[in-house]
Amino acid sequence: MPAPFVCYLRVYEPLGALRAPLAARVRAGLARGAVPVVDAGLRDREVCLRAQLGVPARLLPGERSDGTPLDLPADVLLAEAPAGAGQEPAGPQTLVCPLETRPRAAAALVGFLGSETPVLRSAALATEESVVRSRAEAAVAELGDAATHIISANWTVPLPWFALVDPAERILVLPSDDAVTAPEAPLRRCYWRVGVADALARADAAADLLADTLGDDGPAEVLRDTARWLRHFDPGALVELDYGGLVALMDDQTLAADTSAEDVAEALDALREGDPERAMASYRRLRDFWATRAARQRAN
């Protein structure tokens, strides 16, 4: 079964910057073993399915049947593998990204209730909708003034996210023909990593430009929201834009030829130079590329 068709914007934060009680749960999770980043989507799906299929069933992962959260070790990603076997799993400067599946699942559930049709909501829910909404909103509210370290999107990448990265810094992992049959062949990945300060500066600059040229709605609003989210994290954090399971929607040649980040950079440059026609040409190229991927959501 393929990984979920989800892309991610993640923040890896220094372990020493995490607040209690999350810090203790992350340390416990690291002692148990970090989740490989290529398995993050699978892990999210696994814990959500286990919650739904448990006896009694739970609305969200990581909670009791009455909705109260469990104090469990956190599933966590590492920006780099810890050095030194047998030593402390991680130090204060180790960059970690907790999956925080429970509040993310709760936020997704609130979004589902607000966007899908009554027929689909009724078919998907085993509990009264008002109860589901109340419990999901309460789980989101437990974050307080904090934020989850991951935001995600299904079937396509929100195009404004590409404004956060340098097109030249893309990391593309494609197994060679010889490696495909190897027992430890690398999995396909496409991602960028950038310091949170650079990501914030780019988000603010692009949002200002888009607001001045196209208005405050749409892409400018997405970038403002993204910048507000990034400001929750330590200045030493690292931001990762990862295609995640979306790589399964593209063959190697398509992935290698993908110019999404370049198209966004070119569109922004064109707007700065007062050339809306060139900006529109870049946008159309980008829109058409991702519309082909997104169309598969309704293929069945």
Side-chain angles (χ1 to χ4, degrees):
M1 183 181 295
F5 299 122
V6 178
C7 70
Y8 306 94
L9 201 57
R10 303 185 181 102
V11 172
Y12 293 83
E13 198 170 19
L15 179 55
L18 298 183
R19 303 179 186 178
L22 177 60
R25 294 181 56 239
V26 167
R27 284 187 176 274
L30 289 173
R32 182 181 62 185
V35 176
V37 67
V38 293
D39 293 337
L42 296 172
R43 180 61 178 165
D44 280 340
R45 181 169 64 196
E46 176 190 358
V47 298
C48 288
L49 285 175
R50 286 189 177 186
Q52 293 292 310
L53 298 176
V55 180
R58 289 155 289 153
L59 180 66
L60 299 169
E63 67 178 22
R64 301 176 180 86
S65 58
D66 65 357
T68 55
L70 293 165
D71 186 19
L72 299 172
D75 288 325
V76 59
L77 309 178
L78 279 175
E80 302 293 345
Q87 300 176 1
E88 182 186 12
Q93 298 308 310
T94 302
L95 295 177
V96 296
C97 178
L99 289 188
E100 298 164 306
T101 307
R102 179 171 178 268
R104 289 170 47 231
L109 185 52
V110 171
F112 171 82
L113 294 175
S115 62
E116 293 297 345
T117 64
V119 171
L120 183 56
R121 298 200 305 268
S122 177
L125 299 177
T127 307
E128 175 65 34
E129 183 173 321
S130 61
V131 175
V132 171
R133 183 185 298 276
S134 176
R135 285 180 52 178
E137 290 176 346
V140 174
E142 289 170 9
L143 288 168
D145 61 353
T148 62
H149 288 69
I150 304 173
I151 54 178
S152 59
N154 301 330
W155 295 95
T156 187
V157 179
L159 304 184
W161 286 4
F162 288 109
L164 307 180
V165 302
D166 182 339
E169 295 179 349
R170 180 176 72 156
I171 301 171
L172 183 61
V173 180
L174 299 175
S176 66
D177 292 338
D178 293 337
V180 171
T181 57
E184 296 184 359
L187 296 178
R188 300 163 79 241
R189 283 196 73 197
C190 179
Y191 64 102
W192 291 257
R193 283 181 175 173
V194 58
V196 70
D198 288 337
L200 260 173
R202 291 167 180 164
D204 288 337
D208 290 343
L209 174 64
L210 290 166
D212 290 342
T213 54
L214 302 178
D216 289 322
D217 297 332
E221 184 177 11
V222 172
L223 285 166
R224 299 277 193 225
D225 290 342
T226 304
R228 279 192 288 271
W229 171 67
L230 290 173
R231 287 189 171 89
H232 284 90
F233 303 106
D234 187 82
L238 187 69
V239 181
E240 180 178 78
L241 170 56
D242 186 355
Y243 279 11
L246 300 188
V247 296
L249 303 177
M250 293 170 266
D251 59 27
D252 289 358
Q253 292 74 24
T254 302
L255 270 174
D258 172 30
T259 58
S260 297
E262 288 86 349
D263 290 338
V264 168
E266 182 178 352
L268 293 173
D269 286 342
L271 289 176
R272 290 187 190 96
E273 296 167 7
D275 189 347
E277 291 184 3
R278 182 160 64 93
M280 183 56 68
S282 297
Y283 170 73
R284 289 197 185 104
R285 187 163 58 247
L286 188 69
R287 179 197 60 192
D288 293 347
F289 178 85
W290 285 105
T292 302
R293 269 76 256 170
R296 301 192 184 191
Q297 181 177 8
R298 303 296 179 183
N300 292 329

